[in-house]
Amino acid sequence: MDVYEAIGRRRDVRAEFTGAPLDDDTLRRVLGAAHAAPSVGMSQPWDFVLVRDPETKRAFHAHVHEERAAFAATLAGERAETFERIKIDGILESTLSVVVGYDPSRGSPAVLGRHAIADAGLYSVCLAIENLWLAATAEGLGVGWVSFYREEFLRDLLDMPEHVRPVAWLCLGPVEGMQEVPDLERHGWRSRVPLVEVLHAERYARKG
Ligand SMILES: Cc1cc2nc3c(=O)[nH]c(=O)nc-3n(C[C@H](O)[C@H](O)[C@H](O)COP(=O)(O)O)c2cc1C
C-alpha cells in the first residue's frame, strides 16, 4: 500500500474490531513507525503503554462512558439525538490499547526548537500517533483514538508520573473491515469540508 492509499483508507475505528490476536512482529513494526516520527529537537518525547488487561480496559471504559454521558448532557434536540447513535470507542472489543504519553522532560532543558513554542513537544507526540495510525492501516489493522477521559484519571490508572501527560488512548487490532466514510459523516454529525475552504493565498483574509 503506498502512502496516499494508506492516508485514504485510514479510518477511526470503533465498531469493526474483531479482538483477534495481533502478532508481535506486526505490533513491533507499527510501534517502530510511531517511534520513527519527527520530533522537536529530536526529543522523542513519547511513551507507549500497552494495555491488554481486561480489568484495566473495563475501568477505563466505565470512565469513558461517564464522560460520554457528561458530553451528552450538554446537547439538545437534533445534536443530542444524533450523538446518541454514535459509538465513541472500541475499548472492550479491540485486541489491545496503546496509551501514548508526552514527557516534556525528555531531552530537556535545552530542547532545540521548543524555546518559543512549548506545544512543539505535544505536536511531536501527535506525529508519532499519526505514523502509528497509517502504519496500522497499511497492515490492515484498525485504530480508534479515544479522548473522552480526564487526564488525571488515566494517569492514575496506569501509574504514570505526574510530569507525563496522557495524550491518547488508542484502540488497536484486527478488524472485520474498514468503513469508507467516517463514522461521524455516516451518522450526520459532521462532514469533511472541501480543501478550498481551508486554503488561503498570501494573507489569511484571502481565501482560495
Ligand atoms: C485528537 C483526536 C481525538 C479523537 N477522539 C475520539 C473519541 O474520543 N471517540 C471517537 O469515536 N473518535 C475520536 N476521534 C476520531 C475522530 O472522530 C475522527 O478522526 C473523525 O471523525 C474523522 O474520521 P476518520 O478518522 O475516520 O477519517 C478522535 C480523533 C482525534 C484526532
Side-chain angles (χ1 to χ4, degrees):
M1 196 183 288
D2 76 20
V3 71
Y4 287 104
E5 196 181 346
I7 288 168
R9 282 211 202 164
R10 186 209 54 78
R11 280 279 74 78
D12 186 85
V13 175
R14 306 118 200 222
E16 291 80 15
F17 289 110
T18 63
L22 175 56
D23 68 273
D24 285 349
D25 286 347
T26 311
L27 180 58
R28 213 169 279 127
R29 281 196 299 278
V30 169
L31 293 172
H35 191 56
S39 59
V40 65
M42 195 67 172
S43 54
Q44 302 154 81
W46 42 71
D47 285 283
F48 307 106
V49 183
L50 306 185
V51 178
R52 300 176 197 267
D53 180 9
E55 281 284 294
T56 310
K57 286 183 174 184
R58 267 198 293 275
F60 185 66
H61 181 260
H63 172 71
V64 163
H65 282 265
E66 280 171 20
E67 290 299 325
R68 186 189 202 285
F71 178 64
T74 67
L75 305 173
E78 177 278 325
R79 289 287 82 181
E81 278 170 31
T82 304
F83 183 63
E84 182 69 29
R85 294 192 296 271
I86 297 176
K87 183 170 166 64
I88 54 134
D89 76 278
I91 299 163
L92 301 179
E93 301 89 343
S94 58
T95 305
L96 85 157
S97 293
V98 180
V99 179
V100 186
Y102 167 46
D103 182 350
S105 72
R106 190 85 41 80
S108 72
V111 179
L112 186 156
R114 206 185 62 185
H115 76 286
I117 303 174
D119 282 346
L122 200 54
Y123 305 158
S124 308
V125 175
C126 293
L127 291 172
I129 294 171
E130 179 71 346
N131 267 14
L132 180 154
W133 212 334
L134 292 176
T137 305
E139 298 281 357
L141 301 170
V143 173
W145 186 325
V146 185
S147 58
F148 280 74
Y149 63 84
R150 299 288 156 175
E151 292 181 13
E152 316 82 71
F153 179 91
L154 186 50
R155 192 183 280 122
D156 287 353
L157 185 68
L158 303 184
D159 296 334
M160 292 169 96
E162 199 57 41
H163 72 282
V164 174
R165 187 168 177 197
V167 177
W169 177 293
L170 304 175
C171 302
L172 171 67
V175 286
E176 61 201 18
M178 209 84 96
Q179 294 291 341
E180 285 187 11
V181 179
D183 277 16
L184 297 194
E185 200 163 335
R186 286 191 303 120
H187 287 102
W189 181 263
R190 199 168 154 74
S191 301
R192 245 174 234 295
V193 297
L195 173 61
V196 69
E197 277 192 27
V198 295
L199 275 184
H200 307 255
E202 309 293 348
R203 290 289 184 277
Y204 194 86
R206 268 184 244 147
K207 274 283 189 82

